[in-house]
Amino acid sequence: MLHALWLLLAFLHGAACTKTTYLEFNVTWVNRNPDGLHERPVMGINGQWPIPALHVTKGERVVIAVSNHLGNETTSLHWHGLYMNGTSYMDGPPGIAQCEIPPGESFVYDFKIDQPGTYWFHSHTRGQYPDGLRAPLIVNDPENPSKEEVDGEIVLSFSDWYHDLMRPLLASFVSVTNPTGAEPVPKSALINDSQNVTVAIQPGKTYLIRMVNMAAFASMYVWFQGHSMRVVEVDGIYTEPTEASMLYLTAGQRYSVLITVDPSGGTNIPFVASMDEELFDDIPDDLNSNVTGWLVLDNAKELPTPSNVDTFEALDDMSLRPLDGSAALDKVDRTITLDMKMDNLGDGANYAFFNNNTYVEPTVPTLYTVMSSGQYSDNPIVYGSHTNSFVLHGNETVEIILNNNDDGKHPFHLHGHAFQVIARSEEDAGSYSEGNTLSTPAVPLKRDTVLVQPNGYAVLRFRSDNPGVWLFHCHLEWHVASGLIATFIEAPLELQKTATIPPDHYDLCARNKPPVPTLGNAAGNVDDLLDLNGEPAPPQPLPAGFTTKGIIALVISILNGLIMVGMIAWYGMLQSPATEPGAGDEDGGPEGENQPLLAGPGPGT
Ligand SMILES: *[C@@H]1O[C@H](CO)[C@@H](O)[C@H](O)[C@H]1NC(C)=O
Ligand SMILES: *[C@@H]1O[C@H](CO)[C@@H](O)[C@H](O)[C@H]1NC(C)=O
Ligand SMILES: *[C@@H]1O[C@H](CO)[C@@H](O)[C@H](O)[C@H]1NC(C)=O
Ligand SMILES: *[C@@H]1O[C@H](CO)[C@@H](O)[C@H](O)[C@H]1NC(C)=O
Ligand SMILES: *[C@@H]1O[C@H](CO)[C@@H](O)[C@H](O)[C@H]1NC(C)=O
Ligand SMILES: *[C@@H]1O[C@H](CO)[C@@H](O)[C@H](O)[C@H]1NC(C)=O
Ligand SMILES: *[C@@H]1O[C@H](CO)[C@@H](O)[C@H](O)[C@H]1NC(C)=O
Ligand SMILES: *[C@@H]1O[C@H](CO)[C@@H](O)[C@H](O)[C@H]1NC(C)=O
Ligand SMILES: [Cu+2]
């Protein structure tokens, strides 16, 4: 009822000039088996999965009523790559821009899209999108610079696929039993949430192929056998056409390319997405890291098996130049240095840190703290001690120096902006410093998700011309869970004046169980905005002297201990004449099993 009213109001308000699309998204569980190996529940929309791509036209307004019919999980949607200019409150992340949508509740996203290109939308609720709640979002541009050349358009999504649901995977990922923070390895690679997809094409025609990597974890090498690609767009930014034989897409990244088919026809054309196995701590024997599709000229002809490629030589995205020729921003007004690392906390689990802080969601969503903290909204303290919050002034050139002090690759994504990539080091280059940097390209790469190499750095710049609350985070969903998140609060005083948060946003917080406070600082303190007493915090640091190796040793000895306990109990059960199914439940078998643990038979017993 309430949301029907909202749709009506939204309709009356926006009917004036822009075209508006109204949609209903009912989010439910459905069962699917996309890799042909294992059927499992996935999150679909309106009973559909794969979720169809959302196609809109630049300049259009979109009103989407999302109803959560999952029954057992909260949800939310984020519109990856859209600037949400003037509508920061529609960006999606719970704890930042809104509250969670609980089961049985709905929420209306309403925003205007003024940028062309290839995007996607996905749940921004903790660890959820790899369960399937994600799809491409294509913004058609009547002025697309390639439109004269293009005969047809093809959308391809890539992803990695797990057979287990994210909830249990996350529980064992951030856990004392996984002190090294080894990420779960996916089972299969997918194209279009499927495998062996075929796309009909015709000889002599040129196709615009839009590609999105919607994976939880895996980057993809992508190539079309025997065909060169001309890259014309990267993350929504038109580029000078650039030839490439292979692309590398991290989770969150997009490209569109032109491919011209030989006028004389020929064989059907295989294309392959191959997961970057360097991301995985171990390579299980049953890993299906390659997935194939075909551009089909002739249905009667065979679908050739792709040839093996010897080395993965993908285009270096640093060589891409925005078509509008935007020069590198200079005269930096504000520099933010983020030193990232992975380490253990006192609970023995592995976490991710910026500047020694792992992100923990505040009590009050950050945007609501902006709206309710008056003049204090300019003071980063009100946003909490564990949110990696930075307050940006409006209309400044902001520089992020990101030092990856970890031996893994990480793709970083900024909400609300695309950034220029001023420098990106090779692997093992160490931290950025005046003495350790590369020269700035005159016209640098611009995109919204960038790969940072192991033990290397990246330098990013953007103009703070979009008041709002914007996350900056690693797009590996595992590292979102382990806290690799920073928050930029951009021009908060301006935001207070210009943002009108629809009342149903606050209602949603009231309908959460328990209700989520929407006033005051990160701790929900209204009287003293500088008092963060009671704010959510991470586990305590490890006691001095403890190391990851120490924890591994400890875990192994505990596991050994448990095995011993299990053996003693098992032996005990063999001895007991009364052991029948059911009987053991009453005579306290499990409690009995606990006693030796308390008595403490060490691994050496
Ligand atoms: C795709 O084809 C391969 C090779 O024939 C097969 O092993 C696999 O099961 C197919 N995938 C699906 C989802 O049907
Ligand atoms: C969504 O679910 C509601 C309630 O079950 C139903 O009335 C509505 O028709 C559904 N909408 C779509 C698009 O399936
Ligand atoms: C791939 O999926 C997208 C939607 O996600 C759809 O628009 C497109 O037609 C699909 N392509 C093929 C070849 O199935
Ligand atoms: C939620 O529901 C799905 C679909 O029925 C089920 O597979 C999943 O295990 C449930 N999750 C929890 C945490 O109970
Ligand atoms: C996947 O493709 C690559 C490149 O052709 C090849 O080297 C690799 O052996 C393939 N992996 C499997 C499991 O087939
Ligand atoms: C993080 O902690 C280390 C070790 O205690 C210290 O050397 C470093 O300066 C800290 N970094 C920041 C940004 O506070
Ligand atoms: C930034 O500049 C724009 C346009 O000149 C102006 O409307 C806006 O108020 C400025 N924002 C801030 C925070 O100064
Ligand atoms: C947001 O809109 C303002 C006003 O139209 C414009 O100056 C600014 O460049 C826009 N920012 C982004 C990131 O689109
Ligand atoms: Cu994102």
Side-chain angles (χ1 to χ4, degrees):
M1 180 58 213
L2 191 71
H3 98 240
L5 190 65
W6 253 99
L7 285 179
L8 183 69
L9 284 176
F11 178 77
L12 293 174
H13 171 255
C17 39
T18 38
K19 182 188 167 205
T20 306
T21 299
Y22 296 90
L23 295 167
E24 271 182 54
F25 281 4
N26 283 353
V27 182
T28 62
W29 291 104
V30 294
N31 289 318
R32 292 292 187 275
N33 183 0
D35 62 0
L37 296 172
H38 178 76
E39 187 177 87
R40 50 155 287 180
V42 306
M43 293 179 180
I45 290 181
N46 301 336
Q48 286 183 290
W49 197 92
I51 299 169
L54 178 55
H55 288 266
V56 299
T57 300
K58 183 170 175 261
E60 198 170 318
R61 180 170 156 241
V62 186
V63 181
I64 303 177
V66 177
S67 304
N68 179 359
H69 294 284
L70 291 169
N72 61 5
E73 292 199 29
T74 62
T75 195
S76 60
L77 289 179
H78 166 59
W79 317 89
H80 183 121
L82 298 185
Y83 302 144
M84 289 292 155
N85 202 340
T87 52
S88 177
Y89 47 90
M90 297 296 183
D91 193 47
I96 291 88
Q98 65 168 84
C99 288
E100 296 274 1
I101 311 172
E105 301 288 348
S106 359
F107 183 80
V108 180
Y109 291 95
D110 179 350
F111 50 89
K112 197 163 171 256
I113 302 179
D114 266 325
Q115 37 184 149
T118 309
Y119 304 89
W120 60 305
F121 62 92
H122 62 82
S123 164
H124 222 291
T125 291
R126 183 185 163 91
Q128 194 174 64
Y129 81 76
D131 281 335
L133 192 47
R134 51 188 171 46
L137 193 170
I138 308 301
V139 188
N140 173 46
D141 180 6
E143 321 277 286
N144 188 328
S146 322
K147 72 167 186 252
E148 303 298 329
E149 283 173 86
V150 172
D151 300 301
E153 214 175 289
I154 298 165
V155 178
L156 298 175
S157 71
F158 305 104
S159 73
D160 48 13
W161 193 246
Y162 293 83
H163 289 173
D164 295 315
L165 275 76
M166 287 301 280
R167 281 262 187 111
L169 286 175
L170 279 165
S172 52
F173 171 63
V174 185
S175 155
V176 64
T177 59
N178 184 27
T180 61
E183 300 83 4
V185 177
K187 297 291 185 204
S188 301
L190 302 179
I191 295 179
N192 265 24
D193 287 322
S194 173
Q195 294 178 334
N196 309 319
V197 298
T198 55
V199 190
I201 53 159
Q202 288 168 11
K205 303 264 164 140
T206 296
Y207 295 89
L208 178 72
I209 305 184
R210 299 176 178 276
M211 297 186 263
V212 187
N213 186 355
M214 316 192 298
F217 185 26
S219 298
M220 301 284 176
Y221 293 98
V222 176
W223 65 97
F224 292 78
Q225 190 162 305
H227 285 72
S228 172
M229 303 175 257
R230 250 173 307 150
V231 177
V232 291
E233 180 219 327
V234 54
D235 294 355
I237 309 293
Y238 289 128
T239 64
E240 283 176 20
T242 305
E243 293 291 322
S245 55
M246 187 184 283
L247 293 175
Y248 183 86
L249 287 83
T250 72
Q253 292 187 327
R254 294 90 62 206
Y255 285 94
S256 45
V257 303
L258 300 176
I259 289 188
T260 301
V261 185
D262 197 317
S264 60
T267 61
N268 295 325
I269 304 162
F271 54 94
V272 183
S274 182
M275 299 198 281
D276 177 2
E277 296 185 350
E278 283 181 17
L279 286 157
F280 306 152
D281 282 25
D282 72 313
I283 315 286
D285 291 338
D286 60 351
L287 175 66
N288 299 292
S289 48
N290 297 338
V291 57
T292 308
W294 287 269
L295 301 178
V296 176
L297 283 157
D298 184 347
N299 261 322
K301 287 189 183 160
E302 62 147 2
L303 300 175
T305 305
S307 326
N308 266 0
V309 297
D310 299 329
T311 49
F312 293 110
E313 276 173 30
L315 176 82
D316 177 2
D317 57 345
M318 287 299 281
S319 68
L320 294 172
R321 305 273 161 263
L323 192 59
D324 69 5
S326 315
L329 294 165
D330 57 3
K331 303 199 190 68
V332 172
D333 298 299
R334 175 81 185 275
T335 296
I336 293 169
T337 301
L338 297 172
D339 291 333
M340 68 147 287
K341 65 166 186 183
M342 318 298 257
D343 206 350
N344 300 84
L345 287 177
D347 63 351
N350 195 276
Y351 291 86
F353 302 79
F354 279 136
N355 303 340
N356 297 334
N357 270 311
T358 188
Y359 179 89
V360 181
E361 210 175 288
T363 299
V364 175
T366 305
L367 176 63
Y368 301 157
T369 294
V370 172
M371 300 310 283
S372 61
S373 58
Q375 293 301 310
Y376 282 95
S377 67
D378 237 355
N379 186 338
I381 290 176
V382 303
Y383 304 107
S385 333
H386 307 292
T387 54
N388 293 312
S389 285
F390 297 88
V391 173
L392 307 180
H393 299 153
N395 299 324
E396 289 194 339
T397 295
V398 179
E399 177 176 82
I400 303 173
I401 297 173
L402 184 73
N403 294 315
N404 173 9
N405 301 322
D406 175 64
D407 56 12
K409 300 174 183 174
H410 299 271
F412 281 92
H413 172 51
L414 175 61
H415 291 216
H417 293 275
F419 44 70
Q420 295 182 334
V421 187
I422 297 297
R424 190 222 348 246
S425 78
E426 295 297 322
E427 189 169 342
D428 294 329
S431 287
Y432 169 88
S433 69
E434 291 295 332
N436 182 26
T437 187
L438 306 155
S439 61
T440 302
V443 178
L445 165 68
K446 189 176 177 188
R447 64 184 316 167
D448 63 43
T449 307
V450 69
L451 178 72
V452 185
Q453 297 288 356
N455 295 304
Y457 64 82
V459 179
L460 316 174
R461 286 183 196 158
F462 63 96
R463 289 287 297 172
S464 53
D465 59 2
N466 188 10
V469 176
W470 309 117
L471 288 186
F472 179 72
H473 64 93
C474 174
H475 218 292
L476 304 186
E477 198 60 356
W478 304 113
H479 300 164
V480 171
S482 52
L484 203 42
I485 301 178
T487 317
F488 294 142
I489 297 108
E490 187 170 327
L493 293 167
E494 177 97 354
L495 190 57
Q496 286 177 351
K497 279 186 258 161
T498 52
T500 314
I501 296 178
D504 66 332
H505 289 220
Y506 292 119
D507 292 347
L508 187 73
C509 301
R511 295 200 304 275
N512 268 255
K513 290 186 191 80
V516 175
T518 55
L519 297 175
N521 66 16
N525 197 331
V526 183
D527 299 327
D528 181 356
L529 289 163
L530 299 179
D531 175 6
L532 290 168
N533 218 338
E535 71 175 322
Q540 291 297 308
L542 277 177
F546 257 81
T547 61
T548 305
K549 280 197 184 114
I551 298 171
I552 297 170
L554 189 73
V555 168
I556 290 174
S557 70
I558 291 174
L559 286 178
N560 277 338
L562 288 176
I563 290 168
M564 285 298 297
V565 171
M567 282 172 67
I568 291 167
W570 178 67
Y571 185 71
M573 274 160 68
L574 285 184
Q575 299 283 307
S576 156
T579 311
E580 281 160 29
D585 294 335
E586 272 159 49
D587 74 17
E591 288 86 347
E593 284 166 30
N594 277 336
Q595 275 158 17
L597 180 63
L598 294 173
T605 327

